[in-house]
Amino acid sequence: MNDLVSRVADAVGIDAALAEKAIGMMLGFLQREAADGPVAKMIEAIPGASDLVAQYNGEGEGKGLLGGLMSALGAGGGVMGLGQQLMSQGLGMGEITGLAKETIAVAREHAGSDVVDEVVASVPGLSQFV
């Protein structure tokens, strides 16, 4: 287990396996939704983050043709869509907020505040959760 996962699991009070999946889902969401340059820098800077994105990106989304079309059209997307996906994994709103805050804190340590601020600013509604 990497440092990011253990820190988030401890801070939020959730199982490491759930933290790993949730972080991967959240970073995958950011990779899809945030400004390309800054989010790529951020994910590359966090040890183990690229692996989590590769493993869990798209987890919890609708599968198949209809799910793909809905995603392409942005239906059920955005920050609220991510929240719904994380809730379907058994996380409550407090845990999701804690997950977001701790993950962003780790991102700031590794990628710097300027890069992370660009990522957060490029996703509508994200700033209220981090």
Side-chain angles (χ1 to χ4, degrees):
M1 174 171 53
N2 73 37
D3 183 51
L4 171 62
V5 173
S6 58
R7 272 186 60 179
V8 170
D10 291 345
V12 179
I14 59 175
D15 176 73
L18 179 56
E20 180 179 271
K21 186 174 192 175
I23 294 164
M25 290 169 67
M26 188 172 92
L27 292 174
F29 165 80
L30 291 175
Q31 187 179 54
R32 290 188 306 276
E33 301 290 327
D36 289 342
V39 79
K41 284 184 204 169
M42 185 184 88
I43 290 172
E44 288 169 14
I46 304 168
S50 295
D51 294 337
L52 293 176
V53 172
Q55 189 171 356
Y56 297 109
N57 190 10
E59 191 78 29
E61 290 183 0
K63 302 289 186 229
L65 180 61
L66 184 58
L69 284 172
M70 296 297 278
S71 293
L73 296 172
V79 171
M80 291 300 149
L82 175 63
Q84 296 273 325
Q85 292 171 13
L86 292 170
M87 283 185 215
S88 75
Q89 300 299 319
L91 293 170
M93 277 308 295
E95 292 166 325
I96 293 169
T97 301
L99 166 82
K101 288 181 187 295
E102 193 64 27
T103 302
I104 293 298
V106 172
R108 287 185 194 287
E109 290 171 19
H110 292 283
S113 288
D114 290 345
V115 170
V116 176
D117 288 345
E118 281 186 71
V119 170
V120 171
S122 70
V123 180
L126 182 59
S127 62
Q128 66 188 354
F129 295 102
V130 297

